[in-house]
Amino acid sequence: MDSKEHSTGKSFSYKDISYKYSVLARYILFLFLVVLFYATLAPKILPERYDIRLGSYSEKEITAPVQIPNSKATLNAQEKAAEQVQSIYSIIPIRNETLIVQILDRIDGLNQDDQVSNQDKVSIYRQEIPQRAEDFVENFVKSNRNLGTYSDKLLDEMIKVISQQIYAIPEETFIKIPRLTSEDIQEMKPVAREIVSRLSNDQIVDGQTARAKVAELVSTSSLRNKIPREIVQELARVTLTANKFYDEEATKEAQVAARENTETVYIKQGDILVSKGQLITEELYTLLDENKLLKNEVNYWPQIGLLMFSLLLTLGLHLYIRQSSTNKYKYDNSQLLMLVLIFIITVVSMSLVSIVQDSIHPYVGYLAPVALGAILVTLLMDSSLAFFCAMLFSILSSIILNVTQGQIFDFHFGFFTMVVSFVAISVVHKASQRSTLLKGGIMVSLFGSITVFVLILIDGTEWSQVQTLYTIAFAFMSGLLTSVFVIGLMPFFEVTFGILSALKLVELSNPNHPLLRKLLTETPGTYHHSVMVGNLSEAAAEAIGANGLLCRVGSYYHDIGKTKRPNYFIENQNHMENPHDTLDPKMSKSIIIAHARDGVEMLKTHKLPKLIRDIAEQHHGTTFLHFFYHKALKKAEEQGVEPDFTDLDFRYPGPKAQSKESAIVGIADSVEAAVRSLRNPTVEQVESMIEKIIKGRMDDHQFNDCDLTLKELDIISKTLKESVMGIFHSRIEYPEEIKKTTNNHDEADKRGV
């Protein structure tokens, strides 16, 4: 480092040993992030385990770490639901009317056989009619068993019930049957068929109930003779059977369905599982064991896994910051501390909401201001970093707000966080007014509501209208809460960390600021000069991707120190003699140089951010005051004495520009002053002057401490030329070949300067 660099008092080696750029401090901050992630996620992933033995007394109160299922209560509820299921009966249509027609046909044929005596006929009917009724049922069961129409158990139940309800025909009926003529039987058939068919259409559990109705139907029938009526009545009773039977399998299936449809009984998060001093019964022990709350065996793998997970999240953030930084010190430790604080605030806000959230009301989680961290990173640091942090916040929210048992991540909350964070970043990344933050909150509310509605549709589950409305309402409120928190936290971060956000810069550019009012009223020439420098520096900064707004606002304050001695600066010497004409060159040098130092002190007094102070302190760097140096040499020569000074005594104390913005303001400051000093500047003069100023500063090593490249300096030169041409258009003369074609109006412009 040469003598000039010694005079600045700052260099890269100074940065390396300072706290802000300490490698050890940086890794401590990242380590703190690991601890934050582990401590926040542990309650969700690693519930506390207890060393408890069966039959012992609990030494502490044990509460449910999360909402957990109560197996015993759920089992009791399931059994109660199964007990409330009524027995299911299935109907089996047997078509008994076919049987009674077959019996009457048999009677008709046998009665017409004269070879069989009446006594034999009575004997045949006594055996055959009951047997026919029994065979009819057996054939029906056999046929349906082969076809698989009904279950075997149901058919067995049918045989059992019918056999228990067999009807015995009175003996006198068998004696009367042989007396029936063929005409009697033909008259009896439709009546018998109609009666049996009509009664069989009813649901018959007990055959006796249906048989009791036969006498009434027979008495109202078309039969008039007593014997046919009596015989039809008895034959109808013997053929009628039950057709509705207890279905054991269907009943069991209904009981299984009732058990399955019974909602799980949960123990809410925070509910007391075991009171202090309570005896650990087998039931309590089983409950704790089922929910993995017992230290039955030493298992550190989950803890190791969570620690590695936290390390991976932090490593990803570290690598992104390292790779995205355009220079080694883009993010100093002060900014990293601010980033850690943003993570703490965002994660804590999620955790607080998760406390009042449970599996019955999972939608409460959408109330968390999950976009808060992404917005703060955007406003206070960088939008590209904010996008990466938004992905981390999405992962964290999917764990912290998850209430689903058996899974670590909840896709719904992760996707919701990602969408609203990306929307918020897109809206506020160029915010220059506080109202933009409210706009960002409203956009978060709208897109958050749309996102949760889409997730409900994708889920396909049957959400009630109330649940849907609550979910959308909480998502909408999340955006409003986010904007309120951001507006409230921004001043804290700006003051605590000296952050110059776009919002703060716009506030500082207000002409009503006390320092700007002082500059305008006491040094109007300097005020006008500062405004011009602001216009030039902003255009140049934006051309190379630097902070144009910072350059503009920094330019407004860069010469505030001149208000202490306004008459010693040429832009304020209207219609008065220059006091430097009668001053010693060394005194003049001290007064000129002091304005940078005085400006920094005034800015400190009014608590302006450090970046503004840096521009005021660094915009001259360690440049050389040629005029006063040569004036001092001439005076010494006239006095015939050896100079008791060197060129180092006529340099600004610096430091040199430490940022692109400070360097750009310094260049624009010199360009504006130089153009203003020209009476009739031409385009060639302006272009040559700008290049000369930049080359002079570069040869003087004024850009050694900032990261301006040669390409960027070339862009700055071209941009300043275009801006000067626009601002001082009426004063700049055209080249000779153009002047030949101009009218007298150009000459009038020249004379009017």
Side-chain angles (χ1 to χ4, degrees), residues 347-577:
V347 168
V348 168
S349 66
M350 293 181 192
S351 300
L352 290 175
V353 172
S354 69
I355 293 175
V356 295
Q357 183 192 23
D358 54 41
S359 61
I360 300 176
H361 308 97
Y363 48 78
V364 176
Y366 291 111
L367 184 63
V370 291
L372 174 61
I375 295 179
L376 289 175
V377 174
T378 302
L379 296 174
L380 299 172
M381 300 185 74
D382 182 67
S383 58
S384 61
L385 176 62
F387 277 111
F388 186 83
C389 290
M391 299 302 296
L392 295 183
F393 290 133
S394 300
I395 296 173
L396 294 173
S397 67
S398 67
I399 299 176
I400 296 173
L401 300 175
N402 174 38
V403 293
T404 305
Q405 298 295 319
Q407 65 182 41
I408 298 177
F409 303 95
D410 190 327
F411 160 79
H412 301 81
F413 292 109
F415 183 73
F416 171 77
T417 302
M418 183 180 67
V419 171
V420 298
S421 296
F422 282 9
V423 169
I425 294 169
S426 301
V427 173
V428 306
H429 77 286
K430 289 187 177 180
S432 59
Q433 295 181 350
R434 300 285 175 184
S435 59
T436 307
L437 301 182
L438 181 59
K439 177 184 176 182
I442 293 174
M443 294 301 292
V444 168
S445 296
L446 293 177
F447 277 87
S449 302
I450 294 172
T451 301
V452 296
F453 182 69
V454 170
L455 290 173
I456 291 173
L457 295 180
I458 293 175
D459 254 354
T461 54
E462 295 184 359
W463 281 54
S464 66
Q465 291 183 352
V466 175
Q467 284 180 309
T468 302
L469 290 176
Y470 271 128
T471 304
I472 295 175
F474 279 124
F476 191 88
M477 291 172 62
S478 171
L480 300 182
L481 282 176
T482 299
S483 61
V484 170
F485 286 147
V486 170
I487 293 173
L489 288 170
M490 279 297 293
F492 164 76
F493 282 106
E494 290 170 345
V495 173
T496 305
F497 294 94
I499 297 298
L500 257 184
S501 66
L503 302 174
K504 184 65 175 179
L505 284 171
V506 171
E507 290 179 358
L508 292 175
S509 68
N510 191 331
N512 289 321
H513 191 281
L515 286 180
L516 294 184
R517 284 206 310 269
K518 180 180 179 67
L519 190 67
L520 175 61
T521 57
E522 298 180 10
T523 56
T526 301
Y527 179 82
H528 180 265
H529 161 71
S530 299
V531 172
M532 292 298 102
V533 172
N535 293 334
L536 295 174
S537 62
E538 182 179 36
E542 290 181 348
I544 65 169
N547 192 335
L549 185 57
L550 173 60
C551 286
R552 171 180 285 277
V553 179
S555 298
Y556 290 168
Y557 293 91
H558 81 289
D559 276 344
I560 193 66
K562 292 181 179 180
T563 58
K564 284 201 171 185
R565 305 173 189 87
N567 295 334
Y568 286 88
F569 299 91
I570 192 168
E571 66 266 23
N572 301 312
Q573 298 168 0
N574 295 327
H575 310 295
M576 62 176 291
E577 293 183 359

Side-chain angles (χ1 to χ4, degrees), residues 475-730:
F476 191 88
M477 291 172 62
S478 171
L480 300 182
L481 282 176
T482 299
S483 61
V484 170
F485 286 147
V486 170
I487 293 173
L489 288 170
M490 279 297 293
F492 164 76
F493 282 106
E494 290 170 345
V495 173
T496 305
F497 294 94
I499 297 298
L500 257 184
S501 66
L503 302 174
K504 184 65 175 179
L505 284 171
V506 171
E507 290 179 358
L508 292 175
S509 68
N510 191 331
N512 289 321
H513 191 281
L515 286 180
L516 294 184
R517 284 206 310 269
K518 180 180 179 67
L519 190 67
L520 175 61
T521 57
E522 298 180 10
T523 56
T526 301
Y527 179 82
H528 180 265
H529 161 71
S530 299
V531 172
M532 292 298 102
V533 172
N535 293 334
L536 295 174
S537 62
E538 182 179 36
E542 290 181 348
I544 65 169
N547 192 335
L549 185 57
L550 173 60
C551 286
R552 171 180 285 277
V553 179
S555 298
Y556 290 168
Y557 293 91
H558 81 289
D559 276 344
I560 193 66
K562 292 181 179 180
T563 58
K564 284 201 171 185
R565 305 173 189 87
N567 295 334
Y568 286 88
F569 299 91
I570 192 168
E571 66 266 23
N572 301 312
Q573 298 168 0
N574 295 327
H575 310 295
M576 62 176 291
E577 293 183 359
N578 190 339
H580 291 290
D581 293 340
T582 59
L583 279 180
D584 181 78
K586 294 181 181 179
M587 179 60 69
S588 295
K589 177 264 303 183
S590 299
I591 293 174
I592 295 299
I593 288 177
H595 86 274
R597 182 182 65 251
D598 294 338
V600 172
E601 294 301 323
M602 293 176 67
L603 293 174
K604 280 185 178 179
T605 302
H606 285 78
K607 293 182 170 50
L608 264 73
K610 187 177 184 302
L611 289 179
I612 300 294
R613 302 200 306 267
D614 287 344
I615 290 176
E617 184 180 22
Q618 300 166 13
H619 73 281
H620 283 298
T622 60
T623 53
F624 184 42
L625 294 170
H626 294 272
F627 177 80
F628 293 110
Y629 174 70
H630 290 295
K631 185 178 179 181
L633 284 178
K634 184 177 180 182
K635 182 179 178 181
E637 183 180 348
E638 291 174 351
Q639 292 176 350
V641 297
E642 284 293 324
D644 58 349
F645 54 84
T646 66
D647 61 338
L648 291 179
D649 296 322
F650 282 82
R651 283 186 176 273
Y652 279 92
K656 297 176 182 178
Q658 305 291 303
S659 66
K660 291 182 179 181
E661 289 77 15
S662 294
I664 291 171
V665 172
I667 296 172
D669 181 46
S670 298
V671 169
E672 197 281 334
V675 172
R676 182 163 32 84
S677 68
L678 297 175
R679 181 174 296 277
N680 297 308
T682 64
V683 174
E684 292 88 346
Q685 285 178 319
V686 171
E687 186 173 359
S688 174
M689 179 193 60
I690 293 174
E691 292 177 354
K692 183 178 179 181
I693 290 172
I694 294 177
K695 186 176 185 303
R697 290 203 169 216
M698 188 165 56
D699 293 342
D700 198 24
H701 307 290
Q702 294 301 315
F703 305 136
N704 283 10
D705 287 0
C706 66
D707 54 354
L708 280 174
T709 64
L710 292 175
K711 181 178 180 180
E712 288 174 335
L713 287 172
D714 184 56
I715 295 173
I716 290 172
S717 175
K718 293 178 180 178
T719 305
L720 287 175
K721 174 189 171 183
E722 295 172 358
S723 300
V724 168
M725 298 278 290
I727 295 174
F728 298 98
H729 175 75
S730 61

